Amino acid sequence: ENVTVGKSMKLIEWNIHKMTNDIPVQQFVVDALVKMDADIICLVEYLTDKGIVAALERDYWLEESNSISGNKVFIAVKKKIASCGIVTVKKDEIVDCYNFLHIDFINNEGEKLSIIGVRMLSPINAKKQTPPLVKYIKRLENTYICVGDFNIKDYRMNVWFSNIEMEKHIVTEEILSDISYIYVDKYSYVNGYGSVDHVLHSEDIEVISKYHWGFTKFDSCYPQIEDVKLNTIWNIKAAYPDHAIMEVKIIKR
């Protein structure tokens, strides 16, 4: 079975940086999720958040994973593209590997789509953590999207996920649109950049992604994004996202 996506579908993925803290996100985070008006939302480094749930539950089916290490994965699917609801296939964290959530839904054309959200646990040991995920997604026979914070830079993804399709990333005119994460040392000084939020997907769809940092202008806890350079301070509190929003366009091939 392959999914008829129609013209396209929009998915957003965002690491919202709860860091196992049961703290509600600020209103600007909720506002950004609503404004993006995505068909599918995947949040990682998540814990149950009443503000997010309240903003989305009317228009979306919602599910979140079980957690051992303290973070969860959250997936929301618009009711208008999944009129029969969503089915939770697996929601248990893979110990010492990743937070994990797999849901399925039948689209309005009667075809099945699998959405998998992951966040690779840190510090990353890709040699140990990636084989179980490769094995899992290679068993899938229908259209699938596996999205999240892989904690692996883009140029290493094809080493660990060889022969699996990956998103095509577009660099825009926005500041830092080629990176999704800012690395800091123990004193919170910027010491590197990386794109670590990715999509693995089945061969019958094309996936195009963009990173957005525009949300940083809505709260004074963030430095001006154009001023973020090596050796400057990037000290972001828990429940204030420290990854870019990844906007994903899903197109039927």
Side-chain angles (χ1 to χ4, degrees), residues 81 117 177 190 211:
I81 69 163
S177 74
V190 176
Y211 298 139

Side-chain angles (χ1 to χ4, degrees), residues 54-101:
L56 299 179
E57 62 184 352
R58 184 189 69 179
D59 295 326
Y60 291 82
W61 307 111
L62 311 178
E63 182 60 283
E64 58 187 57
S65 67
N66 296 325
S67 173
I68 296 169
S69 61
N71 290 311
K72 297 182 178 184
V73 177
F74 170 93
I75 292 175
V77 179
K78 264 216 175 139
K79 293 177 180 178
K80 72 178 185 182
I81 69 163
S83 55
C84 296
I86 61 176
V87 175
T88 303
V89 179
K90 185 173 176 61
K91 60 189 292 186
D92 293 324
E93 180 174 308
I94 307 304
V95 178
D96 297 330
C97 287
Y98 40 77
N99 311 130
F100 186 89
L101 176 59

Side-chain angles (χ1 to χ4, degrees), residues 39-56:
D39 298 300
I40 302 163
I41 297 169
C42 178
L43 305 179
V44 299
E45 212 165 306
Y46 172 87
L47 281 174
T48 304
D49 193 290
K50 291 180 181 178
I52 292 174
V53 170
L56 299 179

Side-chain angles (χ1 to χ4, degrees), residues 19 56 67 73 85 116 130 136 145 149 151 164 174 179 192 219 229 231:
M19 296 180 68
L56 299 179
S67 173
V73 177
I116 297 169
T130 58
Y136 189 93
I145 295 163
D149 173 8
N151 264 315
I164 298 174
E174 293 184 38
I179 67 122
D219 197 283
K229 298 177 176 64
N231 300 316

Side-chain angles (χ1 to χ4, degrees), residues 91-121:
K91 60 189 292 186
D92 293 324
E93 180 174 308
I94 307 304
V95 178
D96 297 330
C97 287
Y98 40 77
N99 311 130
F100 186 89
L101 176 59
H102 173 185
I103 66 96
D104 287 347
F105 68 89
I106 306 296
N107 71 0
N108 295 331
E109 287 73 40
E111 298 155 330
K112 183 168 142 185
L113 178 61
S114 294
I115 308 295
I116 297 169
V118 297
R119 177 183 168 271
M120 291 283 181
L121 300 181

Side-chain angles (χ1 to χ4, degrees), residues 238-253:
Y240 288 76
D242 65 343
H243 284 236
I245 298 171
M246 182 169 66
E247 177 185 355
V248 175
K249 186 176 185 180
I250 304 159
I251 306 163
K252 176 69 178 177
R253 280 186 168 147

Side-chain angles (χ1 to χ4, degrees), residues 181-229:
Y181 185 63
I182 296 166
Y183 291 94
V184 297
D185 63 20
K186 64 181 178 179
Y187 304 108
S188 297
Y189 283 96
V190 176
N191 66 358
Y193 307 98
S195 45
V196 296
D197 296 79
H198 303 296
V199 185
L200 303 172
H201 62 88
S202 51
E203 295 181 355
D204 59 322
I205 54 176
E206 184 178 4
V207 173
I208 301 167
S209 68
K210 300 176 186 176
Y211 298 139
H212 301 295
W213 288 97
F215 64 90
T216 57
K217 66 178 180 249
F218 296 115
D219 197 283
S220 60
C221 94
Y222 296 100
Q224 295 296 309
I225 200 70
E226 59 270 19
D227 296 333
V228 177
K229 298 177 176 64

